[in-house]
Amino acid sequence: MARLGVLLFLVQIVLAVCALISCLSAEEGQIRALPRIAWVLIILFFPLVGSIAWFIVGREPSNGARKGWPGVTGGGERQRPRPVAPDDDPEFLRSVEERAQQQDQELFQRWEEDLRRREDDLRRRDGEPPRGGDRPEV
């Protein structure tokens, strides 16, 4: 009998931990009936009853549970557009690539100008006239 009591106690603790994780990770729009802090306190002070209440009353059903029977369309549900992560958004990736190409071009131009300035300085120091017209433009 003691083993059964320990097993039920462990099940209660696991259920309470799962309910706390679910409650704390739920978005504000998914929490029903009470504010989040109230649900956390209920789950902590009444682990078995609070956990069961959270899963039945406190949160919105998951998308799979809300769909109903396969093949039957739910009439009034409005789906919100799912946010796109920046690394999945093609426009964001394109803008990052364009910005990187622009920065590379600017850096390349600065390097070329610096190299030309240094060559001209070396030529002046050696007494040669700076070369002006025979430089290839990129």
Side-chain angles (χ1 to χ4, degrees), residues 47-116:
L48 183 62
V49 175
S51 301
I52 293 171
W54 164 253
F55 285 118
I56 293 175
V57 178
R59 68 181 180 133
E60 296 249 347
S62 64
N63 289 340
R66 191 184 300 166
K67 285 183 183 173
W69 295 97
V72 178
T73 59
E77 289 186 25
R78 194 181 115 220
Q79 291 201 1
R80 291 181 282 171
R82 208 175 97 202
V84 178
D87 57 344
D88 291 339
D89 186 7
E91 291 178 29
F92 175 76
L93 293 175
R94 190 172 22 260
S95 71
V96 168
E97 185 176 333
E98 289 172 358
R99 193 175 326 132
Q101 287 178 354
Q102 182 181 8
Q103 289 173 348
D104 288 346
Q105 282 292 338
E106 290 172 1
L107 183 63
F108 181 70
Q109 288 174 354
R110 277 188 272 144
W111 283 347
E112 277 188 334
E113 290 171 6
D114 186 48
L115 181 62
R116 286 184 186 133

Side-chain angles (χ1 to χ4, degrees), residues 8 16 18 31 45 48 58 62 94 102 111 118 123 127 133-134 136:
L8 290 176
C18 290
I31 299 174
F45 289 127
L48 183 62
S62 64
R94 190 172 22 260
Q102 182 181 8
W111 283 347
R118 289 179 184 205
R123 289 189 200 295
D134 58 359

